[in-house]
Amino acid sequence: MAIKTVADLFIHELSDTYSAEKQMTRSLPKMARAATSEELSQAFLDHLEETRGQVERIDELVAVAGLKLKRVKCAAMEGLVEEGNDLIDGIAKGPVLDAALIGAGQRAEHYEIASYTTLVLLATKLGYDHAVPLLQATLAEEKATDERLGLLGQAASIEEAADR
């Protein structure tokens, strides 16, 4: 896709983010199954439900604005998911893997936070007033998930992992 205008950039970024969210809907159940901590597993499952809602928000935004998403695959999220899978495959189930999953989850959240921050800025500049609150709602959820994972990282799973 040739990106020549800010509107083109918005479509590209939105398409890329849509791909990232779709990839997360496939990755989060695996992360939840791999987690030893019930609280961590539940955090991934809760975020899976949020992520499905985030996909629906993008669908709503596209429909209302009359936009057409491009078929792109988010290479960044693909890499983050692959790294998470490598951790799951390479670390025995237990507190060390839980610590690794928290880090992997936060890396994905930080990427999504950056993506939605950019989308909010572009939507604002382009006058997509209906899109801004939808994007801001998702941004708030991504920040909350990052914070939740950070708090889990401060909890016993990291301390238990340090003992091994």
Side-chain angles (χ1 to χ4, degrees), residues 1-121:
M1 169 184 170
I3 300 172
K4 297 179 181 176
T5 67
V6 175
D8 292 343
L9 178 61
F10 180 74
I11 294 294
H12 173 77
E13 293 294 324
L14 191 61
S15 299
D16 191 71
T17 301
Y18 189 79
S19 169
E21 295 294 12
K22 290 292 218 170
Q23 290 180 57
M24 287 304 297
T25 63
R26 293 185 298 275
S27 177
L28 285 165
K30 185 173 183 178
M31 294 175 78
R33 285 190 304 274
T36 302
S37 160
E38 284 296 321
E39 196 173 0
L40 179 57
S41 180
Q42 191 59 54
F44 289 136
L45 292 175
D46 290 347
H47 194 55
L48 173 60
E49 289 308 309
E50 281 182 344
T51 302
R52 288 178 178 143
Q54 293 164 358
V55 168
E56 290 174 7
R57 275 193 209 112
I58 293 175
D59 288 335
E60 178 184 341
L61 182 162
V62 167
V64 170
L67 302 173
K68 184 167 173 42
L69 293 180
K70 303 296 179 189
R71 289 183 179 248
V72 298
K73 186 164 193 175
C74 179
M77 188 58 73
E78 183 178 34
L80 290 169
V81 167
E82 186 177 325
E83 283 183 7
N85 288 337
D86 289 347
L87 293 170
I88 291 168
D89 294 341
I91 302 173
K93 194 166 181 154
V96 174
L97 179 56
D98 283 355
L101 289 170
I102 289 168
Q106 285 193 288
R107 282 189 292 280
E109 293 310 307
H110 292 181
Y111 177 77
E112 290 178 319
I113 289 166
S115 296
Y116 282 103
T117 299
T118 299
L119 286 168
V120 168
L121 172 68

Side-chain angles (χ1 to χ4, degrees), residues 113-139:
I113 289 166
S115 296
Y116 282 103
T117 299
T118 299
L119 286 168
V120 168
L121 172 68
L122 293 174
T124 301
K125 294 290 185 181
L126 290 166
Y128 291 142
D129 297 334
H130 62 282
V132 173
L134 296 171
L135 296 167
Q136 286 175 329
T138 298
L139 178 59

